[in-house]
Amino acid sequence: MLGIARTGIRVTLASVARGNGLRQLCSGGSGSYKNILVEKKGDKSQVGFVRLNRPKALNSLCDDLLRELNVAFREFDADPSVKAIVLTGSSKAFAAGADIKEMQPKTYSTVFGTNFINDWTEMLRIRKPIIAAVNGYALGGGCELAMMCDIIYAGDSAKFAQPEIRLGTIPGAGGTQRLPRAVGKSKAMEMCLTGDMITAKEAESAGLVSKVVPADKLEAAALDLAERISRMSLMAIYAAKESVNAAYEAPLSQGLLLERRLFHASFGTRDRSEGMSAFTEKRAAEFKDE
Ligand code: CAA
């Protein structure tokens, strides 16, 4: 047992840490996750695989689901055998947004007083890459959740939207901030002001999504990407993620300085030396995450 969630949900990872490949950690019932399914995948079980699993509510993002998701991400981030994470949903919905039924009775003083959905940002502290594999609807908070991941792959039937305006509200988990950075102001403004959906192809050409594949090939494609990333040095993975994220957060001069310093720092790692030696010796590099 590696952790106990703040909610008291017990997360048992030990059996999988000893396991050999595919193994479902939690599938509902007491003492396990109720809203997500968690496994390790990949030829060396090096990919943390999380599936949103509230099918009756199209994976809408209730408070409990977010708590469980944060626990699962933290556990994978701390697990030395895992080097990348895939987050997916079902064929019908990645996630249809924040849970509207849960939000409906809330008042201003409740949401402001509790800093409602602030815990969504916990996943931004995860250092390992998170790949969103989006099939079906990624709406509102579902689109925002995907955008908080590091890479988005989409099935060809995926649909993205920020429909909060149709509920008399606006995106609350980064939609008005990350979407313009991804697709530009005009398209983001149109999406946030109309709630209209865009297709996977449109999302790809706008820059929201890095690859579109047939829906039934999506999980395999995301897993393949995660496995390819997992072959790199974890030191370089951390540095690359941190540096690319700085392009989002910091002014160009600060981002460039951080990038230069992380580049310099990589010269202190064993894996940088191994990577360059392997190249000059015309052999495959053997990274040890050191
Ligand atoms: N919250 C709660 N329940 C939801 C939900 C949501 N976001 N989206 C879907 N559901 C529920 C439906 O209420 C329905 O439940 P019942 O069977 O109990 O009625 C079930 O999921 C299936 O949904 P539909 O019958 O509506 O399925 P559909 O195929 O006809 O339509 C849909 C699918 C277009 C996605 C439609 O469900 C829909 O428009 N959902 C809402 C999308 C939305 O507005 N998302 C933004 C939420 S606000 C937000 O996310 C704020 C933020 O920025 C953090």
Side-chain angles (χ1 to χ4, degrees):
M1 215 267 293
L2 288 185
I4 297 177
R6 280 181 297 146
T7 51
I9 298 162
R10 288 160 64 92
V11 183
T12 53
L13 282 174
S15 59
V16 169
R18 290 191 300 273
N20 50 0
L22 265 173
R23 193 89 60 90
Q24 186 171 300
L25 288 181
C26 304
S27 58
S30 96
S32 66
Y33 295 121
K34 303 240 178 0
N35 301 287
I36 59 174
L37 301 172
V38 181
E39 309 170 64
K40 287 208 238 181
K41 292 195 180 196
D43 54 357
K44 295 180 187 140
S45 297
Q46 73 279 46
V47 178
F49 195 91
V50 182
R51 185 187 301 285
L52 305 176
N53 188 38
R54 287 188 83 205
K56 288 186 184 146
L58 298 185
N59 290 335
S60 64
L61 304 164
C62 62
D63 285 347
D64 283 346
L65 185 152
L66 256 295
R67 270 191 285 272
E68 293 179 17
L69 193 57
N70 283 330
V71 173
F73 282 159
R74 278 200 304 270
E75 297 285 359
F76 282 140
D77 213 29
D79 182 338
S81 69
V82 167
K83 292 178 73 170
I85 299 166
V86 172
L87 174 65
T88 196
S90 69
S91 57
K92 176 149 191 197
F94 176 74
D99 189 322
I100 300 168
K101 293 166 189 166
E102 200 175 68
M103 284 188 293
Q104 192 278 332
K106 290 187 190 293
T107 61
Y108 170 72
S109 52
T110 311
V111 295
F112 182 59
T114 60
N115 206 2
F116 176 55
I117 74 171
N118 187 50
D119 59 343
W120 287 37
T121 57
E122 279 183 29
M123 66 181 279
L124 301 175
R125 294 206 291 271
I126 301 302
R127 297 185 74 199
K128 292 172 185 169
I130 306 176
I131 299 154
V134 176
N135 260 333
Y137 296 115
L139 309 182
C143 186
E144 292 168 308
L145 183 65
M147 288 193 288
M148 281 194 276
C149 296
D150 300 302
I151 298 171
I152 306 178
Y153 271 19
D156 52 8
S157 59
K159 291 197 164 48
F160 298 83
Q162 294 293 157
E164 292 87 347
I165 197 146
R166 297 182 182 185
L167 301 168
T169 184
I170 68 166
T176 66
Q177 304 302 302
R178 292 195 179 90
L179 196 58
R181 283 166 167 83
V183 306
K185 178 182 164 185
S186 181
K187 189 168 274 296
M189 194 68 93
E190 186 177 338
M191 288 173 71
C192 290
L193 290 176
T194 64
D196 287 351
M197 294 185 200
I198 60 169
T199 64
K201 269 283 161 219
E202 287 171 301
E204 185 186 31
S205 57
L208 178 61
V209 157
S210 60
K211 191 177 246 185
V212 178
V213 298
D216 61 344
K217 304 272 190 308
L218 175 68
E219 286 180 25
L223 188 57
D224 177 66
L225 173 65
E227 288 186 274
R228 285 191 292 121
I229 292 169
S230 300
R231 283 181 215 125
M232 309 301 165
S233 165
L234 193 58
M235 300 298 105
I237 292 172
Y238 285 155
K241 173 166 170 169
E242 215 170 290
S243 198
V244 173
N245 275 337
Y248 251 60
E249 310 280 348
L252 182 59
S253 57
Q254 273 179 30
L256 289 171
L257 182 61
L258 175 77
E259 180 194 70
R260 181 71 47 78
R261 294 299 178 234
L262 287 170
F263 170 69
H264 290 163
S266 75
F267 283 69
T269 67
R270 177 246 172 231
D271 286 345
R272 194 281 320 168
S273 173
E274 162 63 11
M276 293 192 182
S277 301
F279 178 82
T280 54
E281 291 160 18
K282 299 188 186 301
R283 60 176 174 81
E286 285 181 35
F287 293 127
K288 295 194 184 312
D289 301 336
E290 293 166 0

